[in-house]
Amino acid sequence: MTGFNVSSGPLKYDTEFAREIYSLENGHHIKKCMQCGMCEVSCATRKEMDYSPRKMFLLLRTGQREEFFKSNTMWMCSTCLMCKVRCPRGVPIVDVMHDLKCYAISKGYTERAQAAFYQSFWKEIWSRGKQFEGGLMARYYLKRGWKDIRKDAFRMKDMGLTMLKHGRMPLMPPKSVKGLKDVQKLVEVAKAQLQKGADR
Amino acid sequence: MAKKIGVYICSGCGIGDALDIDALAKVATKEYKVPVCQKNAFFCGKEGVEVIKKDIAENEVTYVVIAGCSGRVNYDVFNFGPSVVLERVNLRERVVWTQEPDDEDTQMMAEDYLRITLAKLKNLELPEAYVIENCNKRVMVVGGGLAGMTSAVEVAKAGYEVVLVEKEDSLGGWLKRSYKIAPLNSPYTDPEDTGLEARVKEIEGNSNIKVYTSTTIEKTAGAPGMFDVTLKQGGGTLEEKVGAIILATGAVPYEPSKLGHLGYGASPNVVTQAQFEELAAKGTIARPSDGKAVQKVGFIQCAGSRDQEHLPYCSAACCVESIKQALYVKGQNSEAAVYVFYKDIRSSGQYEHFYKKAQSEGVMFIKADVTGVTDDGGNLTIEANDLLMGSPTMADELDMVVLANGMVPTTAFEDPAYGTEAQEEAACAAADAAPVPAPIIKSNILNLEYRQGPELPSLKYGFPDSHFICFPYETRRTGIYAAGSVRRPMDMSQAVGDATGAALKAVQCIEMTDKGGAVHPRSGDISFPDFQLNRCTQCKRCTEECPFGAINEDEKGNPLPNPTRCRRCGTCMGACPERIISFKNYSVPMLGNMLKSIEVPEEDEEKPRVLIFACENDAIPALDMAGINRLQYSKWVRIIPVRCLGSLNLVWINDAMSKGFDGVLLMGCKHGDDYQCHFMKGSELAGIRLSKVSETLDRLGLESERVYMTEVNVMDYDRIPKIINEFVEKIDKFGPNPMKGF
């Protein structure tokens, strides 16, 4: 029962932070967790995580704000859905992880590569209505900066060349989808609905 | 009825291929001069059964012996009515399926089993039921709480009259003291109203139920079908006659003053669950110290329970109760902070939904060991070790702390005032070798006029003893059934189920008694022990050892049997040193003849013989299952079933040894605290008697290890060959019994 880097001295339960998390779209499901550990043993990327989903839920319930933001758990979730289908309490763990990622980004915790990738991906979709690999790469590395380009991009050049050769990565951006403005409007409406739901 | 024996040897199921059926028939016709002996390849078929039926009708066969399959199968096919004695020789499971086919020793084994059965018939008579006149068919329910009221209604619904006795001035028990109860109905998510009024109304409106309030029991005399109960009401007494009794006196909360380490007594804001219930019933839940509506409440589970210094057992209901009370707080103020410090949440059955509901409402469950509760001028702090976070933790500024203080059965107290807890000296004080008298705590509830003591024999923590796995309601006093939290800790939904089960058992008991039959586990058995009192030496062993307290005593120490209390295990028969107790179809001479009928070869033939006494309840089914699974075991053993190892009379060991058997193996049920003996104490008593047998063996100049007792349960069939073979090997090392041939 170790593995928590919470401060020494008696732990206090921060219900404020827990409540904030519960108010996320799927946040209230966290309350139902009974700490059985089924998610933990089902998780494909458990080894990469510092806290398993079970422990992450415990941190949230006890209100360990800092530990949560430091943790990589939600960023390592590959959304394989194994935990969600197996959870005996019916907690949609993948959806919760999604919300946690959104929440962390909204609080400015964007230094993780995964955060940059999600943001770039969305920007790309938003601006074209579809995906363009070149654009995604450009946006991602611009976000990550020189350090990552040096470290990462050159390491991946072989893959990039192979993709180019097979025509999997066009050099020129494709045309935007028809009615891009309408698609964007649709997304805005959905977002507004979501916000309304969260406020309620 | 003239005794005319018919032997029917079946050669189906491979018996005919493995054995010499003609030779077997000769044992019956030549050795035992049986008048009728028939062979058939398919006796359980329509024609086969007709053959037997024809013999019964035309040849006046009264004793039918079927040599074929186990008596545990085809019992419906071979049913020739109550006037025919039916004996089955198990050639299939016990011989053919476990031994080499076409072998000399297999044939000898089969012939021996036929001899055993034919020898048994010599002393066997058709039992006649002991039927009492005017069997009383009313049921008395003791305790008018949820379980008692449920039992009363259920018994009345079945068409029997009920006498409901309640100590307090009105019915209800804990329902009266509850604001709401945990849900008894789907979807099991919200606390329910107690429904007390409707329940009481149902009872009062039922003409079959007679209610006595402010009444206690002064004396219970008699036996099933004829209990005479003296009730004490106000200053006077009155008499009621009933046929069976349901004990539903429930439990009381564990004494909270012993929970000082959790802050009880130090602050008025530390309360028990029962006290919290009272606060909730008043309307707004407010702090006792200053009347402030609660904002932050901490619950401490297992306060006293699962604690070696207090109650070592789980009280089973407190988790659900705390969940309910946490929901009260949340219902009053959804913003309130509620912490539940638990060891394990045991919300059994459907209450998982209830637990989930409380979690969804925001009740915080913390798996922790509570280390202390402190009070700083009204506000309380719980300090604990959070076992999941792996760190010390605290919840402070609590308005109230509620202790889930568990339950103690009403049968665990020595006095009516529920003052001090009973001492268990009776259980521990007795020396190893002497039969252990049942621990009986004088809790002043039933005040039985039984020789063994005034209340039900109890288990370790004061709960009435009953066979926990197979027949939980049957206490060790026939006709008295325990239900609800007096039987074991349980929540209300379980108590309702329990009460219904006990009601069924009480009705069954009455109907069985009316016919002169036994109740569980020998349901319907009409045989009963007969005492040759002119030879009795007043040693009192039967009256002391009967696991069911069936035998009373007169002032001279003579046994006074109560056949309707009897469960027919034969423990008294095994206990009697004078061997004066016997059943019509089960007796000491009968078993003696059976074992003497086995042919024991001379020493130079090098064919050892090991006798096995196997309990009919678990060991015999296990042996049958070993056969069904074709597990081979030693060909030197001969198995004789006994009703219970408790009926083992030491003279049989003596007989077996002088007959020349090389060893005796006893197979009985598990005994001890978690016993599985169907007659509770039978196998334990056999063990105690066996410890004395070594003297007998020494006198005969034999190794005492030649007699060995082992525990077998029904699932141990795969161990059977190992148990038997190892014992036979051990006996082999000792060499042959020197008594052979004498």
Side-chain angles (χ1 to χ4, degrees), chain B residues 189-347:
Chain B
T189 49
D190 297 292
E192 278 180 8
D193 284 329
T194 58
L196 176 61
E197 271 174 47
R199 284 177 210 275
V200 173
K201 215 171 185 181
E202 190 179 356
I203 285 176
E204 283 170 352
N206 195 324
S207 58
N208 269 343
I209 307 177
K210 194 167 166 187
V211 181
Y212 289 104
T213 49
S214 305
T215 305
T216 53
I217 294 174
E218 190 172 88
K219 196 178 83 184
T220 305
M226 46 184 185
F227 282 115
D228 289 309
V229 187
T230 312
L231 300 174
K232 195 160 73 183
Q233 193 177 36
T237 59
L238 44 102
E239 299 283 324
E240 281 287 352
K241 285 185 189 298
V242 294
I245 297 171
I246 294 171
L247 179 74
T249 47
V252 293
Y254 182 64
E255 180 54 50
S257 61
K258 293 180 190 169
L259 301 173
H261 63 294
L262 297 174
Y264 191 85
S267 164
N269 296 337
V270 180
V271 298
T272 66
Q273 279 184 328
Q275 288 165 332
F276 193 79
E277 205 67 32
E278 278 171 33
L279 289 176
K282 277 185 200 156
T284 315
I285 301 168
R287 237 158 59 158
S289 64
D290 56 6
K292 176 196 159 209
V294 290
Q295 297 287 338
K296 247 180 156 183
V297 183
F299 287 85
I300 299 177
Q301 297 306 107
C302 299
S305 298
R306 298 176 67 193
D307 183 340
Q308 286 306 324
E309 309 207 334
H310 298 276
L311 304 173
Y313 54 83
C314 165
S315 290
C318 354
C319 281
V320 174
E321 285 296 296
S322 284
I323 290 169
K324 178 188 80 178
Q325 295 182 342
L327 284 172
Y328 291 168
V329 180
K330 278 287 182 186
Q332 178 175 313
N333 176 5
S334 63
E335 293 295 302
V338 183
Y339 303 98
V340 179
F341 289 83
Y342 67 92
K343 280 184 185 160
D344 294 291
I345 290 289
R346 291 187 175 171
S347 53

Side-chain angles (χ1 to χ4, degrees), chain A residues 8 14 57 59 83 90-91 96 118-119 153 157 179 181:
Chain A
S8 58
D14 180 358
F57 283 13
L59 286 176
C83 52
V91 177
V96 174
Y118 287 131
Q119 285 176 305
K157 70 178 191 307
K181 285 271 168 299

Side-chain angles (χ1 to χ4, degrees), chain A residues 11-13 19 31 33 89, chain B residues 335 352 359 392-393 396:
Chain A
L11 181 83
K12 273 192 148 188
Y13 304 112
R19 261 174 226 214
K31 293 192 275 192
C33 171
R89 277 299 175 88
Chain B
E335 293 295 302
E352 190 67 17
Q359 284 186 309
T393 174
D396 57 1

Side-chain angles (χ1 to χ4, degrees), chain B residues 71-84:
Chain B
R72 297 175 57 80
V73 295
N74 284 333
Y75 44 82
D76 49 342
V77 178
F78 299 130
N79 181 1
F80 307 111
S83 60
V84 174

